[in-house]
């Protein structure tokens, strides 16, 4: 698990765990930070089975993980994504496509007539005030991508994890018992790290981008 927020050929490892051999190397690279982010955010929202969560950016790496984990918890999810990724959303169990670009409130009202109980922003698309209005309370909105969330009274969730060993053990449990995984759209060599960041910032990625330090 990388805790320093950097890409490098070498790192100082403080936490380790034995992972199942069936996990592909590129999945291992993308799954730890994503899963920790999702688990931390869901714990902050404290949703109960049967409640409804709206997620902005449900087709990305974090969003893909959110969809899987909330369904496992018995929570209904409505996920939004850019139009080109709408076909990807129904492939994630329990996820209904919406759009964050226009008519957000009306779309959500159509998909969840009884309203939503909480919202998780993973896209950072400037919709925190909209999410507060729809949930009825800033305390029911968490963002992992919009630094301005706290200016509106919502919460901004950030790492590093308080107990990374427990996070790794939970990842192993999820992967081994419920076939939890994170899809990887594309890998980049370390020398192409800048390109990876460019793609992340300018594209609507499906799943996760991974930087591989080894050549080839």
């Amino acid at each position: 698990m990388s805790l320093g927020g950097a890409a490098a050929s070498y790192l100082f490892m403080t936490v380790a765990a034995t992972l199942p051999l069936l996990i592909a190397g590129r999945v291992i690279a993308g799954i730890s930070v994503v899963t920790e982010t999702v688990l931390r955010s869901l714990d902050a929202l404290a949703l109960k089975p049967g409640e409804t969560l709206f997620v902005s950016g449900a087709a990305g790496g974090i969003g893909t993980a959110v969809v899987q984990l909330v369904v496992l918890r018995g929570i209904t999810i409505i996920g939004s994504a850019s139009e080109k990724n709408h076909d990807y959303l129904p492939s994630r169990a329990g996820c209904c496509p919406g759009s964050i670009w226009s008519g957000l409130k009306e779309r959500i009202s159509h998909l969840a007539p009884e309203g939503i109980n909480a919202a998780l922003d993973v896209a950072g698309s400037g919709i925190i005030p909209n999410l507060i209005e729809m949930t009825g309370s800033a305390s029911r909105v968490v963002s992992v991508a919009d630094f301005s969330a706290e200016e509106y009274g919502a919460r901004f969730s950030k790492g590093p994890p308080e107990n990374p060993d427990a996070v790794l053990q939970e990842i192993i449990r999820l992967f081994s018992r419920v076939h939890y995984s994170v899809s990887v759209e594309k890998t980049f060599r370390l020398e192409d790290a800048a390109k990876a960041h460019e793609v992340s910032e300018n594209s609507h990625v499906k799943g996760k981008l991974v930087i591989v330090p080894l050549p080839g």
Side-chain angles (χ1 to χ4, degrees), residues 89-177:
L89 294 186
S91 69
R92 316 311 305 177
C95 194
C96 303
S99 174
I100 61 175
W101 306 121
S102 63
L104 177 63
K105 184 176 181 180
E106 291 72 19
R107 290 174 183 268
I108 298 304
S109 296
H110 175 72
L111 294 169
E114 297 182 1
I116 58 175
N117 302 101
L120 176 57
D121 169 42
V122 302
S125 51
I127 60 172
I128 298 299
N130 306 75
L131 300 181
I132 293 174
E133 180 185 1
M134 288 187 294
T135 59
S137 173
S139 67
R140 304 303 297 154
V141 178
V142 169
S143 178
V144 299
D146 191 335
F147 292 100
S148 71
E150 294 179 341
E151 297 177 12
Y152 299 97
R155 284 171 289 179
F156 181 79
S157 183
K158 60 182 179 180
E162 294 181 2
N163 191 342
D165 181 69
V167 173
L168 289 177
Q169 295 303 324
E170 178 64 4
I171 293 170
I172 294 171
R173 187 192 71 81
L174 289 168
F175 186 92
S176 301
R177 298 184 183 181

Side-chain angles (χ1 to χ4, degrees), residues 2-66:
S2 173
L3 303 179
S9 296
Y10 301 94
L11 58 82
F12 181 74
M13 186 170 64
T14 57
V15 181
T18 301
L19 300 175
L21 295 176
L22 293 177
I23 303 182
R26 64 178 189 165
V27 173
I28 293 173
I31 201 172
S32 60
V33 174
V34 165
T35 305
E36 190 279 324
T37 299
V38 173
L39 293 175
R40 170 172 23 94
S41 301
L42 293 179
D43 287 345
L45 290 169
L47 284 158
K48 300 180 179 65
E51 292 188 321
T52 300
L53 172 70
F54 171 73
V55 179
S56 67
I62 296 176
T64 300
V66 171

